Amino acid sequence: MSHRSKRAVRKPANAALDKKLARYLLAGGAVLCAPFMSRADTITYSGILDEPATNGSPVNVTFAAFPGGPSFTLAAGTGDLDNYASVGGASLLFAEGGGSNPSDPQAFGFGSLISAANATAANGLLLRYGLTGESTAGFKGGNWPQNGNSAYLGFSFTASSQTYTGWAQISADVSGPPGSGSAELIDYAYEAGTSIDAGQGTAPEPSSLALFAIGGTAALALLRRRRAASQAS
């Protein structure tokens, strides 16, 4: 085979590889621009709040986009022998199904699906814990972590004939002496639609990050190939 024929075989292969790298680069660029922008457009995220609720000092959340509309309150308090954390909502419903009482709002883990269909509780107990107990020592009600670890509250509301679903990340520490119970609203998010994943809206999807990384690798490889081709000529 002549020198000319070798070059004729190699060129199409190089061109095909360049085109493939270019496609990866475009895919990564699309991930960088489109999904992040669309998430920002559709999900309202509070940012990190870390607002504490203590006995007699609840945290009140009003969604600014809906004046006079839905809101909820995170409260922490004490009884004679126990501490508790609870939520209540105005025109807002909480996803239920956890703890000893099925009507109590459920503690969701990160990534769990929150559905408007399961949001039927107008208010409820997140956690109640007694040192000596009302019935047995160390009794616990509600399925929230009692040691201060966080979980996600699911909620739903309707505004301007549109259904919204959302989550609020909350921690509760009620295992101390009566009167020492507290809770904290860490952050929250909501969007139009009938479902949302707990924690959604705070970071890009792992698949998006992977595609962006592929795009970056493709850009670097394409740049190196073109530099080598330029130096060879």
Side-chain angles (χ1 to χ4, degrees), residues 73-119:
T73 299
L74 170 65
T78 181
D80 294 335
L81 299 172
D82 61 13
N83 295 313
Y84 70 87
S86 65
V87 290
S91 303
L92 186 146
L93 297 173
F94 303 106
E96 60 183 5
S100 57
N101 186 348
S103 64
D104 288 335
Q106 181 177 352
F108 289 93
F110 180 84
S112 298
L113 179 67
I114 296 169
S115 171
N118 295 328

Side-chain angles (χ1 to χ4, degrees), residues 97-152:
S100 57
N101 186 348
S103 64
D104 288 335
Q106 181 177 352
F108 289 93
F110 180 84
S112 298
L113 179 67
I114 296 169
S115 171
N118 295 328
T120 56
N123 51 61
L125 180 72
L126 300 182
L127 185 65
R128 183 183 293 273
Y129 183 79
L131 295 180
T132 55
E134 295 176 343
S135 56
T136 58
F139 84 96
K140 174 187 172 184
N143 72 336
W144 230 260
Q146 68 189 43
N147 60 356
N149 290 338
S150 66
Y152 291 87

Side-chain angles (χ1 to χ4, degrees), residues 2-57:
S2 68
H3 181 65
R4 178 184 296 274
S5 62
K6 285 183 180 179
R7 292 185 61 187
V9 170
R10 198 160 44 232
K11 270 189 173 182
N14 290 342
L17 180 56
D18 286 350
K19 288 182 179 179
K20 183 178 291 187
L21 290 174
R23 285 197 297 269
Y24 287 150
L25 176 58
L26 288 174
V31 166
L32 177 63
C33 298
F36 294 175
M37 291 176 63
S38 64
R39 295 183 76 83
D41 289 342
T42 60
I43 297 180
T44 299
Y45 176 55
S46 66
I48 298 298
L49 301 173
D50 290 339
E51 294 188 17
T54 56
N55 192 24
S57 181

